[in-house]
């Protein structure tokens, strides 16, 4: 049987500190898989530079130049992790049988890549990398992330618990995923919707090899909120429910006010009046804000803008036509 072509797609944003380490580590993994004849000689690493401001692209293009097993794509500016990854997947699907996506910081254990491939060769189209524990993340990151997965689950969005964007997708799963062409992209929410035969591989998440997180709190919250409103209309329904409830309560309150009035006891109503104005005003603003959020989403979608723009494309689509010099690590 013809050996399968694997591409490992790695989005990088200001990762100059960790790039060499990541490149050598992944290259080692790729070499071993090729040597063990699990994957084709045409397999490669694909680095996507998400508009970095440091020397990341310089390092990627240099690696592309010296190593036929490396490809690179540079986006014209910073588009965000999900879109950078999407750019990589869209390139990779053209010349690969399966693609693994992994972060550049080596927090995800690269030694399970072999297991990913073995599961793929067994016939699985989707292999999820799942963190067995998150000891190395800060307490804050851990609890917020776990809270997020739980909340999403309650809101009816089936996310794989403790799975981020470390996964293998077969060519056909990837091709189907790329048909989801929404602008508000939340890949880990889309993958479970694909169906196909899937499995999980567990690993321990480590600390970042170098550099610092490119996901500060504000970006993380925006990402969580995007994920939530892209997939679930439950928040809107919840607000509508509260609206009905307060409407119902206002009848009871009205009745109470009338009774008080007829009993000639009205001044004391001021406090409750003020409270209700604030309460209802707040509820209204909250509802309008939330509905606006969805309208904003619709606005984004109908514009149908390109999700990313490629400035340089150093994809080595015909790896087999080049002379292979194995760079030993
Ligand atoms: N990343 C990206 N664009 C961004 C932010 C991050 O391509 O705007 C990449 C980053 O280089 C890394 C991955 O996305 O490979 C995950 O980012 P990071 O490790 O900083 O996030 P964390 O693990 O802290 O959630
Ligand atoms: Mg990270």
């Amino acid at each position: 049987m013809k050996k399968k072509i694997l591409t490992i797609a790695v989005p990088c944003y200001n990762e100059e500190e960790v790039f060499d380490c990541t490149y050598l580590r992944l290259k080692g993994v790729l070499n071993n898989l090729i040597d063990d004849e699990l994957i084709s000689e045409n397999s490669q690493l694909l680095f996507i530079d998400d508009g970095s401001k440091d020397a990341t692209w310089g390092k990627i293009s240099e690696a592309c130049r010296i190593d036929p097993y490396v490809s690179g794509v540079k986006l014209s500016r910073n588009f965000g992790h999900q879109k950078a990854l999407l750019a990589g997947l869209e390139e990779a699907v053209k010349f690969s049988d399966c693609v693994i996506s992994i972060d550049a910081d080596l927090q995800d254990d690269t030694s399970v890549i072999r297991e990913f491939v073995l599961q793929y060769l067994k016939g699985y189209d989707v292999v999820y990398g799942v963190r067995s524990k998150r000891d190395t993340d800060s307490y804050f990151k851990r609890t917020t992330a776990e809270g997020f997965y739980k909340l999403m689950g309650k809101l009816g969005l089936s996310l794989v618990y403790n799975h981020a964007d470390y996964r293998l997708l077969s060519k056909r799963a990837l091709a189907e995923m790329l048909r989801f062409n929404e602008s508000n992209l939340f890949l880990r929410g889309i993958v479970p919707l694909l169906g196909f035969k899937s499995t999980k591989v567990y690993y321990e998440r480590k600390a970042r090899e170098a550099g610092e997180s490119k996901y500060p709190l504000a970006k993380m919250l925006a990402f969580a909120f995007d994920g939530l409103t892209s997939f679930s209309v439950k928040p809107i329904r919840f607000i509508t429910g509260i609206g009905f409830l307060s409407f119902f309560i206002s009848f009871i309150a009205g009745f109470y006010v009338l009774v008080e009035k007829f009993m000639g006891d009205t001044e004391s109503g001021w406090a409750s009046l003020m409270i209700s104005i604030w309460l209802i005003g707040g509820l209204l603003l909250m509802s309008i804000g939330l509905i606006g959020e969805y309208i904003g989403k619709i606005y984004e979608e109908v514009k149908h803008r390109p999700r990313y723009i490629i400035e340089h494309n150093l994809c080595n689509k015909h790896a087999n036509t080049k002379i292979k010099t194995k760079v030993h690590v």
Side-chain angles (χ1 to χ4, degrees):
M1 201 177 71
K2 210 164 150 264
K3 277 177 275 171
K4 302 290 185 189
I5 301 175
L6 166 72
T7 296
I8 303 182
V10 194
C12 308
Y13 177 56
N14 293 344
E15 299 286 12
E16 63 176 5
E17 285 162 79
V18 79
F19 180 80
D20 294 336
C21 187
T22 306
Y23 162 53
L24 291 177
R25 176 86 62 84
L26 291 175
K27 173 79 190 182
V29 172
L30 200 73
N31 275 350
N32 287 340
L33 291 173
I34 294 174
D35 288 346
D36 295 347
E37 308 211 329
L38 287 171
I39 54 171
S40 153
E41 281 264 303
N42 293 335
S43 297
Q44 54 183 305
L45 307 178
L46 169 59
F47 293 96
I48 308 100
D49 176 41
D50 186 15
S52 300
K53 292 178 186 67
D54 63 2
T56 306
W57 177 244
K59 292 193 170 211
I60 295 175
S61 45
E62 178 60 14
C64 288
R65 202 177 59 76
I66 59 166
D67 187 343
Y69 288 90
V70 177
S71 286
V73 167
K74 176 179 168 40
L75 302 189
S76 59
R77 63 171 170 85
N78 180 240
F79 281 86
H81 174 220
Q82 297 287 292
K83 294 189 176 144
L85 185 54
L86 181 77
L89 296 177
E90 272 191 271
E91 273 312 308
V93 74
K94 297 176 190 163
F95 48 84
S96 324
D97 295 310
C98 58
V99 180
I100 292 177
S101 48
I102 185 168
D103 288 351
D105 55 11
L106 297 178
Q107 277 188 289
D108 304 311
D109 186 358
T110 51
S111 64
V112 297
I113 288 181
R114 170 178 289 266
E115 191 54 35
F116 279 21
V117 171
L118 292 175
Q119 295 297 332
Y120 165 71
L121 294 175
K122 269 193 211 160
Y124 288 98
D125 283 280
V126 182
V127 186
Y128 297 104
V130 178
R131 296 162 196 166
S132 51
K133 52 183 180 185
R134 307 177 69 125
D135 290 356
T136 51
D137 278 351
S138 69
Y139 175 75
F140 179 74
K141 176 126 196 170
R142 200 165 65 224
T143 41
T144 47
E146 277 173 9
F148 170 64
Y149 283 105
K150 288 200 174 122
L151 178 68
M152 294 292 254
K154 290 225 163 65
L155 289 173
L157 165 58
S158 60
L159 284 183
V160 176
Y161 189 61
N162 263 341
H163 158 71
D165 284 306
Y166 187 28
R167 71 176 81 84
L168 178 146
L169 291 172
S170 69
K171 194 183 190 83
R172 64 174 180 174
L174 202 54
E176 292 307 326
M177 195 184 83
L178 295 174
R179 295 205 303 138
F180 287 69
N181 44 17
E182 52 225 72
S183 312
N184 287 291
L185 205 61
F186 192 63
L187 290 176
R188 69 189 78 162
I190 290 174
V191 178
L193 300 180
L194 296 176
F196 291 121
K197 231 172 114 185
S198 71
T199 182
K200 294 176 192 160
V201 170
Y202 291 88
Y203 67 96
E204 281 177 27
R205 185 160 157 99
K206 302 189 198 125
R208 231 177 192 282
E209 203 70 25
E212 50 197 45
S213 174
K214 308 296 180 291
Y215 265 103
L217 180 63
K219 236 179 174 175
M220 222 167 78
L221 287 179
F223 183 57
F225 202 66
D226 241 17
L228 202 73
T229 48
S230 297
F231 275 89
S232 172
V233 290
K234 284 197 180 172
I236 277 194
R237 296 214 183 110
F238 176 69
I239 292 288
T240 322
I242 291 184
F244 273 111
L245 194 70
S246 63
F247 185 64
F248 179 70
I249 291 173
S250 69
F251 272 104
I252 301 174
F255 181 71
Y256 167 76
V257 168
L258 283 180
V259 171
E260 288 286 294
K261 187 176 161 63
F262 284 120
M263 288 170 75
D265 224 6
T266 39
E267 289 116 81
S268 61
W270 189 80
S272 55
L273 198 67
M274 288 310 277
I275 291 171
S276 23
I277 288 173
W278 280 100
L279 186 78
I280 304 225
L283 280 178
L284 279 177
L285 284 178
M286 207 164 89
S287 338
I288 293 171
L290 199 80
I291 291 167
E293 193 60 41
Y294 283 90
I295 293 177
K297 288 252 142 70
I298 296 170
Y299 178 61
E300 290 284 317
E301 296 300 337
V302 295
K303 277 191 293 192
H304 222 86
R305 289 189 172 166
R307 293 181 286 187
Y308 57 83
I309 295 165
I310 293 179
E311 187 177 331
H312 294 295
N313 191 335
L314 302 181
C315 274
N316 178 8
K317 285 166 207 165
H318 309 288
N320 50 347
T321 60
K322 282 205 181 179
I323 306 152
K324 293 251 161 114
T325 43
K326 217 172 238 176
V327 181
H328 275 287
V329 289

